[in-house]
Amino acid sequence: MCGIFGITIQKDSDLKKSLIQKKINDLFKLSKSRGKEAGGIAIHSKKTIHVYKEPISPSKIIKQKEYKKLIKKALSDPPIAIIGHSRLVTDGIESSNENNQPVIKSGIVGAHNGIITNTKDLFKKFSIKREYDVDTEIILGLIKKFSEKENSLVRAIQKTFYNIKGSASLALLFKDSPYLILATNTGSLYVSINKRECFFIFASEKNILKKLGCNIKDISQVK
């Protein structure tokens, strides 16, 4: 069990930067109940995705200078999308930072909660080069491969879920596309949209969003 979370801020949001940073930090701290062996974030600003991850607990990550610098820079130029991950290690040791999340492959950055049980078979079947030990890599590899054939991210993700065996809740950012995509085959993903203040938040548990202060009426499950 891992925790994935994130937030998007529109350009015309009237939320104060200090409040946004607090929400991001609180998402990290609240999500560590689902995994605290490693953590990381990815920030999509304009056409660039910045990734910062460490094999340390989320409560320590938010105190790191590089993390603070990255958040401050991103908040100065919205719109932005941020995805984060608190990791309980199941596949791929956390001391090798490439196994920690968000995972980067083929222009896709993804945070994954779950475990894929047919990873080796999929790498072989679809001739995808394996670079890491973490099972999340095959998900990103399949999405990239299928999107090139289908010319549709939605269809590519559908085909990926059709082929994997196991559980997956995903938050995905794309280097060449201005999208944040959420998908799940377990329902372990909840969202809250605040249209008035122009932001969108998601987390692995409904209770995390409630503790964050989201209105219960604004919280819905990604099914």
Side-chain angles (χ1 to χ4, degrees), residues 58-75:
S59 57
K60 290 182 179 179
I61 282 181
I62 62 175
K63 296 177 182 178
Q64 303 300 307
K65 289 183 180 179
E66 188 174 347
Y67 167 84
K68 292 179 180 179
K69 182 180 179 181
L70 191 58
I71 295 294
K72 183 178 180 181
K73 183 179 180 180
L75 294 181

Side-chain angles (χ1 to χ4, degrees), residues 153-164:
L153 282 175
V154 172
R155 180 62 180 152
I157 292 168
Q158 289 173 335
K159 288 188 71 173
T160 298
F161 272 96
Y162 178 80
N163 280 278
I164 62 173

Side-chain angles (χ1 to χ4, degrees), residues 96-118:
S96 295
N97 207 32
E98 66 269 16
N99 292 323
N100 293 324
Q101 305 216 22
V103 174
I104 308 164
K105 187 175 181 69
S106 303
I108 306 173
V109 179
H112 166 219
N113 169 37
I115 186 166
I116 308 304
T117 59
N118 62 334

Side-chain angles (χ1 to χ4, degrees), residues 5-172:
F5 58 87
I7 184 170
T8 68
I9 307 295
Q10 294 183 21
K11 193 173 184 64
D12 53 352
S13 174
D14 57 3
L15 275 179
K16 292 183 178 180
K17 294 177 184 177
S18 58
L19 180 57
I20 298 172
Q21 183 162 353
K22 185 179 185 304
K23 286 185 180 293
I24 297 168
N25 290 347
D26 287 346
L27 276 169
F28 242 132
K29 289 186 285 187
L30 290 168
S31 296
K32 76 175 184 178
S33 63
R34 297 180 60 88
K36 53 185 178 181
E37 293 166 317
I41 61 167
I43 301 175
H44 197 310
S45 178
K46 293 185 177 178
K47 292 185 178 181
T48 304
I49 302 178
H50 300 280
V51 177
Y52 174 70
K53 52 186 177 178
E54 293 283 358
I56 56 178
S57 71
S59 57
K60 290 182 179 179
I61 282 181
I62 62 175
K63 296 177 182 178
Q64 303 300 307
K65 289 183 180 179
E66 188 174 347
Y67 167 84
K68 292 179 180 179
K69 182 180 179 181
L70 191 58
I71 295 294
K72 183 178 180 181
K73 183 179 180 180
L75 294 181
S76 67
D77 191 21
I80 58 171
I82 298 175
I83 64 174
H85 189 274
S86 56
R87 188 179 185 208
L88 177 67
V89 175
T90 55
D91 194 5
I93 59 173
E94 75 277 12
S95 58
S96 295
N97 207 32
E98 66 269 16
N99 292 323
N100 293 324
Q101 305 216 22
V103 174
I104 308 164
K105 187 175 181 69
S106 303
I108 306 173
V109 179
H112 166 219
N113 169 37
I115 186 166
I116 308 304
T117 59
N118 62 334
T119 302
K120 292 182 180 180
D121 293 339
L122 291 172
F123 274 112
K124 183 178 180 180
K125 179 179 179 180
F126 292 99
S127 301
I128 297 173
K129 182 181 178 182
R130 186 164 197 174
E131 300 174 81
Y132 319 130
D133 295 322
V134 65
D135 55 356
T136 307
E137 183 185 3
I138 190 59
I139 297 174
L140 307 187
L142 288 173
I143 292 172
K144 177 65 174 179
K145 194 173 190 70
F146 293 148
S147 64
E148 291 173 345
K149 293 182 177 181
E150 298 289 340
N151 198 28
S152 165
L153 282 175
V154 172
R155 180 62 180 152
I157 292 168
Q158 289 173 335
K159 288 188 71 173
T160 298
F161 272 96
Y162 178 80
N163 280 278
I164 62 173
K165 294 180 181 178
S167 58
S169 293
L170 306 171
L172 304 167

